[in-house]
């Protein structure tokens, strides 16, 4: 065919493709990365995409304004927002830093009155905001608050009172003011739409009868996670009303009256044959644990991070959990417990081991490199690990990644800073070199232990898929950070604390920061002048310095750099300097 | 395996306490020898005062000296910040005070935000592992006095930098506790005797919920369980 004619035909084909059809097709697209790609094809695809989109995920609330979002996406029903930098979880960000949901809610009330879902992470949310949300969006269905602060149980009461169609209330790991449990009683007596209820985070008693009635009314309840005040005796009374449960978070698992209670409990768990996720289990004992065994056959996610199990108890439990894919434990299970994991859970993909005494560096307890090695031999599909320990060796990590080359998330926390390989006294460079060389799919890495620039040379060179890197107490000079910024083509988030990286390192990333979501550097050697230079060279970045009381005028104690189309923050508190 | 010499003193001031025989283990024998030993409180305090309660927190030189100076020089200022208290021997006169370390002080000595654990996790753990302390105020009336489910207490042996943690729930008597401690600390005992030459005798002491240090074995096991906060094995140097 004549090339000219072919071109014309193709052009016609694209432009006569009806928008409505395109939109119908695009509505099926859920992944926001795919949607981004689609929107870049051409103008009509950009428009079709933006009209068909119902969910928007904003990874940094300051990267864009509510106005820009509402202008581009008129038909949003569901919003996910993330606010503060991740190190705010560890008290590195002063209170009242920002990320207040309020300005977004004002926009939602005006532009998205049919908003159904809101998922917030590390945002500040007040009771007034929650009430405003409940009153402004009559169709509101799902609220998820993770690591947020600024609100109290009064705000939850407002949600319970006004959201007649609520299907999800998920309150996780928040810093909230728990005034009383009466919020739960605010659900109207005819309210029955709840499918997800998670109040494990809260510490006050709720009215148990009200909870029981609520659970029995909500026939579609799939997820129920109660707080530790709900007793083992009360649990069966909830379970019998919720046979469709797929995720259960129990309250206290402490057995008061052995005989009669146990059979009731066993019966209740026997009815729960759809459970795939189990958590809670605080104060669990060897006595009460067996009641769970029948229900474990189909468990894929077992969260024992509130249950201080010993190795023997864990071993007995895991025999009943052959399908486990995700396991979270406390380090009370010790290496022996982890051996049991290796022996019983061949399908395991994710393991998180949390420390019971993170601040007690003098006492021998918890897990060592042996436990990790044992898991790696038994669980070859391991792809996500978060491991807190006090000793590690290079050889151990080399073995581990040889056994499990498919790691996508490798977060190793050797809890004593600058700790070398305890057998050879060398730095832990070889360990992380092995990780990045072997695990080609690595997306997220957290390093620890005594590390020189060599580690970062390797990371820069080999970690082609790395998106998130967390560094603390590591490195020897600017060169380390320069290597990372010069390599790692997919790097999005870089968070650094207490490393000897200075202005040269900071400025070496000039070309990179716009392709990244954010950079955090605290306790490093960066100065105000370095930051000013960065801000001057890169006007589309927000370069913010958090000043700490009593620090040197010229030092930039905490630096947060992120790309933004919103310009500098208008709500920055006095201790945040935008350069 | 050689046995430790570990003495549990007998307190002649008796309420309804069962008689706890002092058992000392002679290094040179394979079997245990029972020897009743009387002791008065004054002996115990004298014993305490003659000991040195070195804090024995690993200082930077001990932990990292071997890695060579090139790693240490630039990180040293940061490490001083991290290790908190300077490490030196405690004033022997102030021993009793220095023993009473409340948990809050210990926590304040670490770096902000490290290890990277959300505060809410720490709160969860405190619920579980406060030795002897149970939060029962929120419970409903049906639950009569609940005992702690797991009762972790720290055990330090004098002269040994690393402490251990044990779950007292696993033991039902002083005898069981002592046996377990002997096993746990056997290797340190050998190190100590090598260092000090003569064979040592050890005494098991504990800190109660009022903060006082007492000889283990004075009170019935149950009362001991309810009040013990931490344990220390101290040397009885002549």
């Amino acid at each position: 065919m004549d090339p000219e004619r072919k071109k014309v035909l193709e052009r016609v084909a694209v432009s006569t493709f009806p928008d409505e059809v395109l939109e119908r097709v695009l509505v099926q697209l859920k992944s926001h990365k795919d949607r981004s790609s689609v929107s870049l094809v051409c103008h009509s695809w950009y428009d079709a995409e933006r009209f068909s989109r119902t969910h928007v995920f904003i990874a940094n609330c300051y990267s864009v304004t509510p106005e820009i979002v509402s202008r581009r996406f008129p038909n949003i029903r569901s919003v996910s927002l993330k606010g503060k930098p991740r190190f705010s979880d560890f008290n590195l960000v002063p209170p009242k830093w920002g990320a207040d949901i309020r300005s977004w809610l004002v926009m939602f009330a005006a532009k998205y009155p049919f908003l159904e879902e809101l998922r917030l992470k590390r945002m500040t949310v007040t009771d007034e905001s929650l009430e405003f949300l409940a009153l402004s969006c009559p169709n509101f269905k799902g609220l998820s608050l993770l690591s947020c602060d600024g609100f109290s149980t009064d705000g939850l009461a407002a949600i319970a009172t006004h959201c007649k169609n609520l299907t999800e209330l998920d309150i996780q790991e928040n810093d909230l003011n728990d005034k009383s449990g009466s919020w739960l009683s605010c659900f109207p007596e005819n309210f029955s739409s709840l499918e997800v209820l998670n109040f494990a985070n809260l510490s006050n008693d709720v009215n148990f009868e009200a909870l029981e009635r609520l659970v029995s009314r909500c026939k579609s309840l799939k997820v129920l996670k109660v707080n530790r005040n709900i007793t083992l005796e009360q649990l069966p009374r909830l379970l019998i009303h919720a046979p469709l449960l797929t995720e259960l978070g129990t309250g206290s698992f402490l057995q008061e009256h052995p005989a009669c209670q146990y059979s009731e409990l066993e019966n209740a768990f026997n009815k729960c044959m759809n459970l795939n996720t189990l958590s809670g289990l605080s104060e669990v004992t060897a006595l009460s644990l067996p009641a769970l065994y029948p229900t474990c056959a189909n468990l894929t996610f077992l969260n024992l991070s509130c249950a201080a199990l010993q190795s023997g108890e864990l071993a007995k439990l895991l025999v009943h959990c052959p399908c486990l894919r995700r396991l979270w434990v406390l380090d009370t299970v010790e290496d022996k417990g982890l051996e049991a994991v290796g022996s019983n859970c061949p399908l395991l993909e994710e393991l998180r081991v949390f420390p019971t005494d993170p601040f007690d560096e003098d006492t021998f307890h918890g897990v060592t490199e042996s436990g990790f090695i044992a898991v790696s031999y038994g669980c070859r599909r391991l792809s996500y690990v978060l491991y807190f320990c006090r000793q590690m060796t290079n050889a151990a990590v080399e073995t581990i990644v040889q056994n499990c080359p498919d790691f996508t998330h490798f977060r190793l926390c050797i809890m004593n800073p600058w700790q070398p390989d305890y057998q050879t006294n060398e730095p832990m460079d070889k360990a992380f070199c092995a990780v990045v060389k072997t695990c080609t799919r690595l997306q997220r890495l957290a390093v620890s232990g005594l590390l020189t620039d060599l580690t970062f040379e390797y990371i820069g060179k080999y970690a082609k898929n790395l998106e998130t890197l967390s560094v603390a107490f590591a490195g020897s000079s600017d060169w380390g950070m320069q290597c990372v910024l010069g390599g790692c083509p997919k790097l999005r988030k870089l968070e650094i604390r207490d490393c000897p990286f200075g202005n040269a390192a900071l400025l070496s990333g000039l070309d990179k920061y716009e392709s990244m979501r954010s950079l955090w550097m605290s306790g490093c050697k960066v100065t105000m002048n370095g930051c000013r230079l960065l801000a001057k060279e890169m006007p589309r970045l927000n370069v913010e310095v958090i000043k700490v009381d009593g620090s040197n005028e010229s030092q930039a104690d905490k630096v947060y750099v992120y790309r933004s189309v919103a310009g500098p923050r208008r709500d920055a508190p006095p201790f945040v300097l935008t350069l | 395996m050689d046995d430790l010499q570990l003495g549990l003193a007998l307190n002649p001031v008796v309420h309804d306490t069962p008689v706890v025989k002092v058992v000392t283990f002679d290094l040179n024998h394979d079997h245990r020898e029972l020897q009743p030993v009387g002791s008065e409180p004054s002996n115990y305090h004298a014993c305490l005062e003659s000991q040195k309660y070195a804090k024995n927190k690993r200082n930077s030189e001990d932990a990292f000296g071997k890695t060579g100076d090139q790693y240490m020089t630039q990180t040293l200022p940061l490490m001083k910040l991290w290790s908190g208290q300077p490490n030196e021997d405690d004033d022997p006169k102030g021993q009793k005070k220095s023993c009473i370390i409340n948990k809050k002080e210990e926590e304040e000595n670490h770096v902000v935000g490290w290890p990277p654990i959300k505060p809410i996790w720490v709160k969860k753990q405190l619920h579980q592992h406060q030795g002897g302390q149970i939060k029962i105020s929120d419970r409903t009336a049906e639950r009569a006095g609940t005992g702690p489910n797991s009762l972790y207490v720290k055990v330090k042996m004098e002269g040994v930098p690393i402490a251990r943690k044990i779950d007292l729930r696993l033991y039902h008597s002083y005898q069981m506790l002592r046996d377990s401690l002997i096993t746990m600390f056997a290797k340190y005992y050998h190190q100590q005797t090598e260092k000090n030459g003569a064979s040592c005798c050890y005494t098991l002491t504990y800190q109660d919920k009022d903060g006082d240090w007492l000889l283990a074995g004075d009170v019935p096991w149950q009362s001991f369980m309810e009040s013990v906060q931490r344990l220390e094995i101290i040397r009885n140097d002549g």
Side-chain angles (χ1 to χ4, degrees):
Chain A
M1 187 187 284
D2 177 66
E4 273 306 324
R5 186 171 158 72
K6 192 165 175 206
K7 262 200 229 157
V8 167
L9 271 178
E10 282 170 13
R11 202 169 49 223
V12 163
V14 168
S15 61
T16 56
F17 196 54
D19 287 339
E20 299 80 35
V21 176
L22 186 55
E23 277 177 44
R24 283 298 278 273
V25 169
L26 291 184
V27 131
Q28 310 298 325
L29 263 186
K30 301 297 177 204
S31 149
H32 64 272
K33 281 189 185 154
D34 288 343
R35 284 188 159 270
S36 273
S37 311
V38 157
S39 67
L40 294 172
V41 169
C42 64
H43 280 301
S44 64
W45 280 50
Y46 176 88
D47 279 335
E49 192 280 314
R50 72 188 190 92
F51 281 111
S52 67
R53 187 192 276 249
T54 56
H55 170 248
V56 68
F57 166 57
I58 297 155
N60 175 358
C61 65
Y62 287 119
S63 62
V64 73
T65 65
E67 291 72 34
I68 294 174
V69 174
S70 65
R71 233 179 305 142
R72 179 168 170 187
F73 301 116
N75 296 319
I76 295 295
R77 300 277 161 136
S78 163
V79 178
S80 301
L81 268 166
K82 289 186 178 181
K84 298 181 219 170
R86 194 177 78 95
F87 278 178
S88 70
D89 284 349
F90 318 124
N91 295 330
L92 287 182
V93 174
K96 311 245 191 304
W97 178 84
D100 196 315
I101 190 63
R102 181 75 196 184
S103 57
W104 291 87
L105 290 180
V106 168
M107 182 275 274
F108 296 155
K111 305 287 183 178
Y112 302 147
F114 298 116
L115 189 71
E116 293 176 3
E117 256 182 31
L118 189 58
R119 295 179 189 289
L120 303 179
K121 188 169 184 181
R122 294 191 200 99
M123 302 280 300
T124 294
V125 183
T126 62
D127 291 337
E128 292 72 31
S129 291
L130 287 174
E131 191 174 23
F132 180 70
L133 169 67
L135 293 171
S136 312
C137 302
N139 219 24
F140 193 68
K141 294 204 171 101
L143 179 65
S144 166
L145 300 174
L146 174 57
S147 300
C148 295
D149 69 317
F151 63 105
S152 79
T153 40
D154 289 349
L156 301 183
I159 297 285
T161 306
H162 300 295
C163 299
K164 309 268 185 282
N165 298 313
L166 199 68
T167 58
E168 174 174 352
L169 185 60
D170 184 7
I171 311 296
Q172 277 191 61
E173 293 179 17
N174 299 292
D175 184 13
L176 77 151
N177 179 4
D178 193 341
K179 292 180 177 175
S180 95
S182 56
W183 60 273
L184 188 98
S185 308
C186 292
F187 283 110
E189 284 298 323
N190 61 352
F191 170 80
S192 62
S193 49
L194 213 52
E195 295 171 24
V196 174
L197 178 62
N198 177 0
F199 64 97
N201 188 192
L202 303 180
S203 49
N204 278 317
D205 279 329
V206 299
N207 180 314
F208 180 73
E209 281 68 36
L211 175 62
E212 199 180 358
R213 284 196 305 274
L214 179 66
V215 171
S216 65
R217 284 198 309 271
C218 298
K219 307 273 186 242
S220 307
L221 197 64
K222 298 220 183 45
V223 175
L224 177 64
K225 298 182 184 177
V226 301
N227 67 10
R228 58 173 67 227
N229 299 13
I230 302 295
T231 68
L232 198 55
E233 206 173 58
Q234 291 169 327
L235 186 60
R237 286 159 64 184
L238 296 175
L239 292 181
I240 50 171
H241 293 301
L244 295 181
L245 272 189
T246 57
E247 297 184 26
L248 172 65
T250 75
S252 162
F253 228 67
L254 182 64
Q255 200 157 357
E256 293 294 330
H257 314 284
C260 60
Q261 197 187 24
Y262 192 87
S263 55
E264 232 191 290
L265 191 62
E266 248 193 329
N267 286 337
F269 272 111
N270 267 322
K271 301 242 167 46
C272 279
M273 295 319 282
N274 295 315
L275 279 187
N276 58 44
T277 297
L278 187 59
S279 61
L281 303 172
S282 58
E283 300 173 306
V284 69
T285 67
L287 286 174
S288 50
L289 205 50
L292 290 176
Y293 295 166
T295 205
C296 290
N298 297 319
L299 274 191
T300 54
F301 179 20
L302 182 55
N303 179 353
L304 298 172
S305 58
C306 296
L309 286 185
Q310 306 292 299
S311 54
E313 291 159 351
L314 178 67
K316 288 201 194 112
L317 175 60
L318 288 180
V319 166
H320 300 271
C321 310
C323 301
L324 222 49
R325 290 187 201 280
R326 299 173 66 196
L327 177 63
W328 295 13
V329 291
L330 287 174
D331 65 2
T332 49
V333 303
E334 295 184 343
D335 290 331
K336 267 200 102 185
L338 294 181
E339 282 168 31
V341 174
S343 312
N344 290 294
C345 306
L347 300 179
L348 200 70
E349 294 167 5
E350 175 179 327
L351 175 68
R352 301 194 197 198
V353 182
F354 294 99
T356 37
D357 264 317
F359 306 118
D360 186 0
E361 61 231 26
D362 280 347
T363 307
F364 174 82
H365 47 43
V367 295
T368 71
E369 76 281 7
S370 324
F372 200 169
I373 294 175
V375 174
S376 76
Y377 274 110
C379 309
R380 301 290 174 131
R381 297 193 199 182
L382 208 57
S383 58
Y384 191 121
V385 75
L386 171 61
Y387 201 81
F388 283 86
C389 58
R390 291 209 181 272
Q391 65 185 49
M392 188 52 62
T393 66
N394 287 311
V397 177
E398 283 163 357
T399 305
I400 287 159
V401 294
Q402 216 169 358
N403 292 338
C404 304
D406 295 332
F407 275 115
T408 55
H409 297 67
F410 193 91
R411 303 166 64 189
L412 176 62
C413 183
I414 304 168
M415 287 189 275
N416 302 0
W418 308 289
Q419 172 121 325
D421 176 322
Y422 81 99
Q423 281 180 353
T424 64
N425 269 320
E426 287 175 352
M428 293 296 298
D429 293 335
K430 288 192 189 142
F432 294 104
C433 295
V435 172
V436 295
K437 270 179 110 169
T438 315
C439 306
T440 51
R441 296 194 206 161
L442 197 68
Q443 290 169 26
R444 183 172 179 183
L445 179 64
V447 299
S448 58
L450 184 67
L451 298 174
T452 69
D453 286 341
L454 192 62
T455 294
F456 301 103
E457 275 183 42
Y458 271 80
I459 292 175
K461 188 167 168 198
Y462 289 104
K464 299 278 179 230
N465 286 311
L466 193 66
E467 297 179 10
T468 303
L469 179 62
S470 308
V471 187
F473 306 105
S476 328
S477 71
D478 285 332
W479 173 241
M481 187 171 162
Q482 285 168 334
C483 287
V484 171
L485 290 170
C488 299
K490 295 201 184 164
L491 194 66
R492 291 187 302 118
K493 277 167 59 179
L494 182 55
E495 43 186 31
I496 300 173
R497 64 164 292 177
D498 297 290
C499 296
F501 303 140
N503 293 336
L506 177 71
L507 294 169
S508 69
L510 275 185
D511 296 330
K512 198 157 184 102
Y513 299 134
E514 270 185 13
S515 67
M516 286 169 55
R517 188 191 299 174
S518 64
L519 165 73
W520 169 279
M521 285 179 80
S522 61
C524 298
K525 292 185 172 171
V526 173
T527 69
M528 293 297 288
N529 283 336
C531 294
R532 283 190 196 106
L533 193 55
L534 175 62
K536 184 160 155 248
E537 294 293 317
M538 307 297 297
R540 282 192 302 220
L541 295 178
N542 280 359
V543 180
E544 295 176 3
V545 175
I546 297 174
K547 286 306 267 178
V548 169
D549 280 336
S551 66
N552 194 330
E553 276 296 313
S554 61
Q555 284 303 110
D557 317 293
K558 299 180 186 191
V559 182
Y560 185 45
V561 179
Y562 57 93
R563 65 181 175 194
S564 176
V565 297
R569 281 176 61 178
R570 276 165 279 175
D571 64 350
F575 55 81
V576 173
L577 308 173
T578 308
L579 301 178
Chain B
M1 185 181 69
D2 291 332
D3 286 335
L4 269 181
Q5 290 189 11
L6 194 66
L8 293 177
L10 178 69
N11 188 343
V13 178
V14 157
H15 317 287
D16 285 326
T17 56
V19 171
V20 178
K21 297 232 184 322
V22 169
V23 187
T24 56
F25 294 88
D26 190 347
L27 255 190
N28 298 322
H29 289 74
D30 286 337
H31 57 274
R32 300 168 191 181
E33 288 180 342
L34 275 173
Q35 282 178 12
V37 169
S39 87
E40 298 114 5
S42 55
N43 267 0
Y44 165 69
H45 286 299
C47 186
L48 257 190
E49 265 155 41
S50 67
Q51 306 306 323
K52 259 204 158 120
Y53 281 89
K55 193 120 197 229
N56 271 322
K57 237 177 146 102
R58 265 178 304 159
N59 65 14
S60 43
E61 289 92 79
D62 280 346
F64 303 122
K66 289 180 195 159
T67 61
D69 290 332
Q70 78 247 55
Y71 304 124
M72 295 324 300
T73 40
Q74 72 235 18
T75 55
L76 212 44
L78 282 174
M79 278 226 305
K80 285 216 174 104
L81 169 72
W82 163 58
S83 58
Q85 295 175 357
N87 177 58
E88 70 288 316
D89 292 346
D90 283 345
D91 171 16
K93 297 228 176 70
Q95 282 159 49
K96 193 133 195 272
K97 244 193 319 173
S98 72
C99 290
I100 302 169
I101 312 159
N102 66 45
K103 197 160 169 90
K104 198 135 198 286
E105 268 174 43
E106 280 183 0
E107 282 181 11
E108 283 167 8
N109 288 337
H110 62 269
V111 182
V112 172
W114 189 264
I117 287 278
K118 290 183 188 174
I120 191 118
W121 285 95
V122 180
K123 276 189 210 160
K124 277 193 216 174
Q125 300 339 316
L126 283 181
H127 258 285
Q128 291 270 331
H129 295 288
Q130 274 308 29
Q133 316 238 318
I134 322 132
K135 180 172 178 238
I136 54 173
S137 50
D138 287 337
R139 299 287 187 254
T140 63
E142 299 153 273
R143 309 188 67 193
T146 58
N149 179 49
S150 60
L151 187 55
Y152 279 90
V153 293
K154 202 164 164 173
V155 188
K156 270 209 81 164
M157 181 173 186
E158 194 188 338
V160 177
I162 304 288
R164 303 291 296 242
K165 258 218 167 134
I166 56 173
D167 181 2
L168 282 183
R169 175 182 63 132
L170 298 173
Y171 310 105
H172 306 300
S173 67
Y174 287 108
Q175 176 97 13
M176 284 181 73
L177 171 64
R178 187 202 54 243
D179 288 346
S180 175
L181 290 179
I182 288 169
T183 314
M184 222 182 261
F185 285 94
K187 81 164 189 212
Y188 299 113
Y189 173 72
H190 291 310
Q191 285 173 3
Q192 293 296 310
T193 45
E194 274 166 31
K195 224 167 39 167
N196 301 324
S199 62
C200 316
C201 186
Y202 286 86
T203 304
L204 183 62
T205 63
Y206 72 102
Q207 184 182 35
D208 71 3
K209 55 183 174 212
D210 296 326
D212 301 323
W213 283 89
L214 307 169
L215 279 177
D218 287 356
V219 298
W221 178 256
Q222 227 14 74
S223 325
F224 168 73
M225 284 268 280
E226 279 162 23
S227 110
V228 63
Q229 300 296 299
R230 59 181 73 222
L231 294 163
E232 183 149 357
I233 304 169
I234 59 175
R235 222 166 32 222
N236 309 336
D237 286 334

